[in-house]
Amino acid sequence: MAIPIIIDTDPGIDDALAIMLAAASPEVDLLGIVAVAGNVALEHTSRNAAALADLLGLDCPVGKGAALPLWRDTHFAPEVHGANGFGGYELPASQRELEPGVPLLARLIEESAEPVTVVAIGPLTNIAMLMSEHPETARKVERFVIMGGGTLRDTGNATPTSEFNIYFDPDAAARVFRFGVPVTMVGLNATHQALVAEKHLPDLMASGGPAAKMVKHLLNSYHDEAGVAAGGEHGAGMAQHDSLALAAVIDPAVITTEHYYVDVENTGRITNGMTVVDYLGRWGEPNTDVAFGVDVERFRNLLNTRLTELDTRLKEA
Ligand code: RIB
Ligand code: CA
């Protein structure tokens, strides 16, 4: 039985691979995609979500959620994802009608015969708004699987202590962790293990179709200080933050988790947006399955196999 999922996302280079993986995996039933501001402004993330859904031939609805964090100023990341969010890769503009994002989340959760797993791979603003505007609906969610946060030494990229998705809207994130629905946190301490370069996706690169072309561009769109494309043919690999979170739903064995109470600092002067794992068990019953280990080869093989199957299907469409 396929797991019903909704992807809440700020596409976004790594978001694109995650959405492709979901579209290619029969283990999940993608009910809808909801865009949120994050990597780039909502006008770009929502356009990208719709255009990607068209490319992938998805008939699920696409929603347009929050343009701003609950209270904070915005911190987009065009230096990482490019001004358009896809590293300059242009997809044909979609003609889809985008629905209001938070009502779409609520409708899809209510309409699903089975409890829905919400996979949040951007800032958590839409999710927090769902919880405040539709609390009883939010409680029907099976689990929130989030790409966000981190632990121990590897907890920050936006700042030394804070990962981007949490830092963009720490107040929203604090609400999500405290809400009471189980959370799986796929943080930087896990995703920084999930390095992917062209050489790890040999069948996809050889396939050469529309998905392969876009993935190749995205893997080559982020360059390190030496000017080497981290995901390119000579790169060590680009951390696949979001697709690891999706992979954890599709094939849970790609990660190993431990159960802890996790909270989010949202008032700190220098720690704002930090996810804090309570290893001492002092703050409350564990609320989060925290990802620690990654079976990198299993993850890379899943990406290579599924995205190649997707690319073959798109070439034949
Ligand atoms: O810190 C990485 C996360 O922030 C990823 O989801 C990336 O797409 C950005 O949203
Ligand atoms: Ca993202």
Side-chain angles (χ1 to χ4, degrees):
M1 175 80 174
I3 301 168
I5 68 168
I6 301 168
I7 297 178
D8 193 83
T9 175
D10 61 335
I13 287 174
D14 52 331
D15 303 69
L17 272 83
I19 295 166
M20 287 179 183
L21 178 61
S25 299
E27 295 85 350
V28 294
D29 176 14
L30 182 53
L31 302 179
I33 300 172
V34 180
V36 66
N39 287 316
V40 288
L42 182 65
E43 64 184 282
H44 297 300
T45 60
S46 54
R47 187 194 65 239
N48 291 344
L52 194 57
D54 286 359
L55 173 76
L56 302 177
L58 297 176
D59 56 12
C60 67
V62 177
K64 189 172 181 179
L68 295 173
L70 297 180
W71 295 300
R72 312 276 168 160
D73 296 333
T74 50
H75 306 274
F76 302 131
E79 71 284 357
V80 175
H81 294 266
N84 76 339
F86 278 162
Y89 197 82
E90 290 296 346
L91 289 176
S94 174
Q95 301 308 312
R96 288 170 183 253
E97 188 73 31
L98 300 192
E99 300 187 38
V102 174
L104 176 60
L105 277 169
R107 175 169 71 81
L108 294 173
I109 292 163
E110 288 292 354
E111 288 176 354
S112 177
E114 296 297 324
V116 173
T117 294
V118 175
V119 188
I121 54 177
L124 294 169
T125 315
N126 291 341
I127 311 303
M129 289 170 69
L130 171 76
M131 291 172 171
S132 59
E133 295 168 18
H134 308 274
E136 292 320 305
T137 300
R139 293 197 195 288
K140 295 179 181 176
V141 169
E142 175 72 18
R143 175 173 290 270
F144 291 100
V145 178
I146 75 165
M147 190 283 131
T151 182
L152 300 177
R153 283 177 55 86
D154 207 348
T155 185
N157 54 6
T159 74
T161 66
S162 306
E163 178 277 326
F164 179 85
N165 285 337
I166 308 298
Y167 182 67
F168 190 90
D169 196 343
D171 312 294
R175 177 179 294 158
V176 172
F177 279 92
R178 294 175 192 164
F179 186 70
V181 170
V183 174
T184 296
M185 181 174 88
V186 183
L188 294 176
N189 60 296
T191 62
H192 278 157
Q193 300 173 57
L195 301 183
V196 173
E198 287 184 36
K199 61 191 171 197
H200 303 125
L201 306 175
D203 299 331
L204 177 63
M205 293 298 110
S207 177
K213 288 192 183 97
M214 183 170 184
V215 170
K216 184 177 178 66
H217 179 97
L218 296 176
L219 287 175
N220 283 274
S221 59
Y222 180 67
H223 295 72
D224 61 20
E225 292 79 13
V228 175
E233 59 182 329
H234 305 302
M238 175 193 276
Q240 288 307 309
H241 305 292
D242 295 336
S243 49
L244 183 65
L246 255 301
V249 178
I250 294 161
D251 179 11
V254 296
I255 61 170
T256 56
T257 63
E258 294 176 32
H259 206 41
Y260 289 107
Y261 182 87
V262 177
D263 202 345
V264 177
E265 173 61 86
N266 64 337
T267 60
R269 180 176 61 81
I270 59 172
T271 56
N272 203 21
M274 181 177 185
T275 51
V276 183
V277 179
D278 174 13
Y279 293 105
L280 299 182
R282 296 277 176 81
W283 286 343
E285 284 304 304
N287 56 0
T288 304
D289 290 309
V290 180
F292 285 93
V294 180
D295 184 335
V296 183
E297 286 316 304
R298 190 180 181 108
F299 170 63
R300 287 167 173 166
N301 291 337
L302 181 72
L303 267 187
N304 182 50
T305 306
R306 294 297 166 83
L307 296 188
T308 303
E309 290 165 359
L310 173 70
D311 197 51
T312 303
R313 176 156 53 87
L314 295 179
K315 283 192 292 188
E316 292 164 357

